[in-house]
Amino acid sequence: MAGELTRSVIKRVIRQVGLECAAQGQSLSETLVAFVVKAVVLDPRNDFNMDRMLTENDMQDLIQLCVTRLLDTTNPSLSTIKMQVYFDMNYANRDELLSEQERVLEGKLAPLVRAITESAPHAQEEMENVYQKIVTYVLLRSGLGSPTDIEAVREVTAALQSVFPQTEMITFISLGKKDKEQQLKDLAMLVTGIRLYNKECQRGGSGIDDLPGILSEAIPSATRTLDERLNSCQLLAHRYMALLECMQEDPQRFSRLRFLKLKEALFNVRQYEAFLCILQSNAITSAQEVESLDVQFEAAMMVLKNTVQNKTSVESREVFPLFMELSKLWTSFQDEMLLLSFLTNMDDNLQQFLEIQSQLFPEEMLTSLLEGVTVKSDVERIKETMGTRVNVSEFTNQEWLFPETTDNFDQLLIQYHGFCAHSIGVKGITLPGNPAIGILKHKEKYYVFSSKEAAYIFAEDPDKFIQLNIEKAKKYAELIQLLELHHQFEYLVPHAQARKASKGSMKPAPKRESGTQTDTHILPPTIVRSYEWNEWELRRKAIKLANLRRMLTHSMQTDLSHMRRENFTQVYLPKDAGTQTKRDNSSNVPKPQIFLKGLRGGSSPTTHMVTVDLTRPLDET
């Protein structure tokens, strides 16, 4: 409960500090103020306890410390924190930047799309107005020209009429809203492809810049600028490290450097170097993308020329996909222009946070301090230790990783941004680590070292030195981002959440309601239908399989079946027909009837039989 009350008090302190700085002419973002306030509370030298309630005197002391620190323009630590806040709030990777650009473009075109898709024109004049809005949409969507450019509007109208004449408006109006929006996007791509082809053929192209040519010159120029600035800041960092090492070896000679905040200056240069490396990596990626796009665009244009040539008409199903492909490639060129502009602006704006270096350490002063001092670059320091490595047999409870024994060795996530894990907390400097010495795996995290001796000392008690590094980050808050210690100080600087947010470190993690539903049986059933528990059934199957081993399959082929194919015939069905060959007739004849008299006998012993014919004559029948 006390912690929650303390946090609410700190929120009031943040508002009060912002107001006092504004009253003295320094308008600072709430993100920066919140970071500095919590950094001051975190610093053990200021003796603020987050677990107890801050008194009124504590609040006033905290406000005064924060205002003093924020108004101290000669402190490299403040410049580094400002640089980190600026980068977090403004930097975006390729995917984020392009998706944001697409969202902004959709937002700008939304009113026009709504006016087109929701209209229901009936009169001819209304039809023409909607068609003109479609022309404007196509022009704005493609980004090739302005609606105020008469020549560009004329080109778009002519290209649109060739693929979507006004007679098709009746069909367009009958479509659904989603279908209309999709057709508008397809029309924009088709028209863009047609205009690009016409420009290639010297038949138009008003308002269309030569993006491939511009990018081929601008990207190398931007890369050279980044390289020059990166080399300059690396040289400065190497000089600072040499002076800091000499201070530790000979404190008397370099006693005046104690008051010049040399460590803060080193951290400032190191952070600037890290940000420049990110921008340089993006610039290299852009250069590779543009090189690939150039080849694809030329190939697509050549295919289109061969398809169209001098034909008066071409099948739409042949040429439309080619126009669409041209449009997609050109959109990628536009994306690269946007990314290059973004990187250039970021590089220029980061320069302001390095201006304090020339004020604290002018070139003449550095030259005099470095007399007799050997300045080593990071590459030279790593080369000096390439022949040494940790002897694994001397460590029984530690796991060491080496290039020849570890897969994906170069892709391991090294702690502290690749700096020596021992020198940060002990010496307070950022020496480059050499993975070839051996990478220590401790609690699923990986650590590198600048020398074999530093690796041995750190490995004796890793938790002790890890805690020393955390304590060092509490004193120098800029190390939290430089050494990538966000997981140790999430309550102070949630960088992933603060990016592009208006309140930075004070903004809680975004939350939203969500629901999930899973199947009753996520995994497929594992019932084995062929399983038998009865051993006699298993014996029967085994005997059957054993008998199969002695069976042979025979087959033969005859001359009649060789190369036989299926044949089909078709015949006319027989028709119904009937014939009559005779007719039925009948006749009636008398039935013969004969009566025999005397068969029964009589009184006389001799039988006298008399035959009487009773059959009727034929003429009576």
Side-chain angles (χ1 to χ4, degrees), residues 450-464:
S450 59
S451 65
K452 180 179 177 181
E453 293 74 18
Y456 274 67
I457 297 173
F458 185 91
E460 291 177 359
D461 190 358
D463 293 329
K464 169 189 171 183

Side-chain angles (χ1 to χ4, degrees), residues 3-15:
E4 294 180 2
L5 291 174
T6 302
R7 282 190 287 273
S8 65
V9 170
I10 288 179
K11 289 182 180 180
R12 294 203 299 271
V13 170
I14 291 171
R15 288 194 293 269

Side-chain angles (χ1 to χ4, degrees), residues 209-221:
D209 296 325
D210 183 16
L211 295 187
I214 295 174
L215 287 169
S216 63
E217 296 178 1
I219 290 182
S221 175

Side-chain angles (χ1 to χ4, degrees), residues 20-90:
E20 292 198 15
C21 289
Q24 299 191 35
Q26 288 287 339
S27 180
L28 305 174
S29 66
E30 189 172 350
T31 304
L32 176 62
V33 175
F35 186 98
V36 171
V37 169
K38 289 197 170 184
V40 171
V41 173
L42 189 65
D43 193 340
R45 295 172 295 187
N46 297 326
D47 197 23
F48 288 108
N49 190 353
M50 289 287 290
D51 296 328
R52 65 177 177 83
M53 186 67 181
L54 293 177
T55 63
E56 188 64 29
N57 291 334
D58 291 337
M59 289 181 59
Q60 294 303 319
D61 293 343
L62 179 58
I63 291 172
Q64 188 59 41
L65 283 171
C66 293
V67 172
T68 303
R69 187 166 181 178
L70 285 167
L71 296 179
D72 184 8
T73 57
T74 62
N75 189 354
S77 178
L78 179 61
S79 296
T80 307
I81 293 173
K82 286 182 177 180
M83 186 195 321
Q84 293 170 346
V85 172
Y86 169 79
F87 196 84
D88 270 357
M89 298 294 290
N90 293 276

Side-chain angles (χ1 to χ4, degrees), residues 60 65 93 147 171 189 212 247 289 291 350-351 434 495 513 518 550 566 604 612 615 618:
Q60 294 303 319
L65 283 171
N93 58 35
T171 306
M189 295 179 68
M247 280 179 59
E289 287 291 328
E291 184 177 356
L350 285 176
Q351 280 291 104
N434 185 2
H495 285 258
E513 294 182 358
T518 58
R550 295 193 295 270
E566 296 180 355
S604 63
V612 180
T615 302
L618 288 176

